[in-house]
């Protein structure tokens, strides 16, 4: 149980284009989903916390207009990287909590974004 | 400033030995601490959670200790196997529902 999927698993795009990444909880309803970014040999950095039906809360230094997050249902959250640049190339990982009050987060397999 | 440090970037041990990984933190008062395993190019997989009022937690060959006085957690893998080779991340709750991760320790278990 508690399986989280991400799509696509990898994407290559041209500079200036937008890329959408989907995060789905497959066998549970996720009231809260999280988006992380991880650069090589670095720790996971939390970008934003997303609650179903409300606006995402972004961490300091993360541009909300560049990284658009939509949590339209209890099983789906999307991250759109707008006007992508090479410095946005990274490994993007989502996670989900099964319910309020649960401390464990279950992670998706990640999406490798390469911006040319 | 808040900091999470994992003892080393890489740890090499022989199969069958016990691997011990360290996680130290400063300027946090976490309610709990978690350990995850991450394989290359994959998302982290949850292993164990230990709360501030717990000293030790076990799960099969895994053992975690949590010393809030020393601000340290130790993660042990007994009878290690080559399949245990991966990066192990510790994470603290750094606010309501959010986690802050260490950089991880890469464990390599040689046959």
């Amino acid at each position: 149980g508690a399986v989280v999927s991400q799509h696509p698993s990898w994407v290559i795009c041209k500079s200036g284009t937008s890329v959408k990444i989907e995060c789905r909880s497959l066998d549970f309803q996720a009231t809260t989903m999280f988006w992380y970014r991880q650069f090589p040999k670095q720790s996971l950095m939390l970008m934003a916390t997303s609650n179903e039906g409300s606006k995402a809360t972004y961490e300091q230094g993360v541009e909300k207009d560049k990284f658009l997050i939509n949590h339209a249902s209890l099983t789906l959250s999307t991250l759109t990287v707008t006007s992508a640049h090479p410095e946005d190339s990274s490994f993007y990982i989502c996670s989900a909590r099964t319910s309020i009050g649960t401390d464990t987060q279950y992670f998706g397999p990640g999406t490798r974004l390469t911006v040319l | 400033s808040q900091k999470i440090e994992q003892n080393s970037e890489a740890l090499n041990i022989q199969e069958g030995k016990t691997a011990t990984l360290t996680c130290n933190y400063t300027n946090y008062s976490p309610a709990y601490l978690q350990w995850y395993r991450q394989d290359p190019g994959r998302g982290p997989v949850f292993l164990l959670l230990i709360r501030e009022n717990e000293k030790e937690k076990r799960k099969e060959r895994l053992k975690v200790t949590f010393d809030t006085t020393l601000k340290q957690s130790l993660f042990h893998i007994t009878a290690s196997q080559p399949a245990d080779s991966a990066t192990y991340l510790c994470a603290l709750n750094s606010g309501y529902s959010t986690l802050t991760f260490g950089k991880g320790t890469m464990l390599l278990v040689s046959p």
Side-chain angles (χ1 to χ4, degrees):
Chain A
V3 177
V4 176
S5 72
Q6 277 184 246
H7 178 81
S9 55
W10 59 269
V11 57
I12 301 172
C13 69
K14 290 183 180 179
S15 189
T17 60
S18 294
V19 173
K20 181 186 282 189
I21 301 170
E22 291 187 351
C23 176
R24 292 182 186 272
S25 55
L26 298 185
D27 52 0
F28 65 97
Q29 293 185 327
T31 53
T32 306
M33 287 184 167
F34 305 87
W35 286 96
Y36 294 83
R37 182 166 51 180
Q38 186 178 33
F39 293 104
K41 296 190 183 294
Q42 299 296 313
S43 61
L44 278 76
M45 298 299 295
L46 179 66
M47 299 175 68
T49 302
S50 143
N51 291 298
E52 185 265 338
S54 62
K55 289 185 180 180
T57 302
Y58 290 81
E59 295 298 302
Q60 194 172 13
V62 178
E63 300 173 58
K64 62 180 181 181
D65 294 331
K66 180 168 183 64
F67 299 99
L68 302 179
I69 292 172
N70 186 294
H71 193 159
S73 76
L74 285 171
T75 59
L76 174 64
S77 177
T78 60
L79 167 69
T80 301
V81 182
T82 62
S83 187
H85 289 282
E87 56 265 31
D88 298 323
S89 298
S90 188
F91 193 48
Y92 291 86
I93 312 172
C94 73
S95 71
R97 287 193 312 167
T98 55
S99 60
I100 293 172
T102 301
D103 301 319
T104 301
Q105 294 181 23
Y106 295 92
F107 285 80
T111 297
R112 172 73 59 193
L113 170 64
T114 302
V115 185
L116 302 176
Chain B
S1 62
Q2 294 178 321
K3 200 183 290 186
I4 300 172
E5 289 185 345
Q6 295 193 238
N7 56 325
S8 58
E9 274 197 24
L11 181 66
N12 294 317
I13 64 167
Q14 263 196 311
E15 183 175 8
K17 302 289 186 187
T18 296
T20 299
L21 285 65
T22 306
C23 177
N24 294 295
Y25 59 92
T26 55
N27 296 322
Y28 279 104
S29 294
Y32 57 84
L33 184 149
Q34 302 185 23
W35 284 88
Y36 287 82
R37 169 184 173 140
Q38 187 175 25
D39 290 284
R42 306 292 295 174
V45 174
F46 171 74
L47 296 175
L48 280 168
L49 179 153
I50 186 165
R51 299 192 183 280
E52 59 179 339
N53 60 346
E54 298 174 313
K55 295 291 185 188
E56 183 180 295
K57 206 90 172 270
R58 291 175 185 262
K59 179 182 174 184
E60 298 172 355
R61 294 185 294 112
L62 309 180
K63 185 178 87 170
V64 172
T65 62
F66 192 11
D67 188 325
T68 55
T69 302
L70 290 179
K71 295 186 182 296
Q72 180 183 79
S73 174
L74 299 179
F75 177 78
H76 306 272
I77 305 175
T78 58
S80 58
Q81 305 164 1
D84 295 326
S85 298
T87 295
Y88 292 85
L89 309 170
C90 79
L92 308 178
N93 74 303
S94 47
Y96 178 68
S97 82
T98 60
L99 291 175
T100 299
F101 284 83
K103 288 174 70 172
T105 297
M106 186 185 301
L107 174 67
L108 180 60
V109 181
S110 305

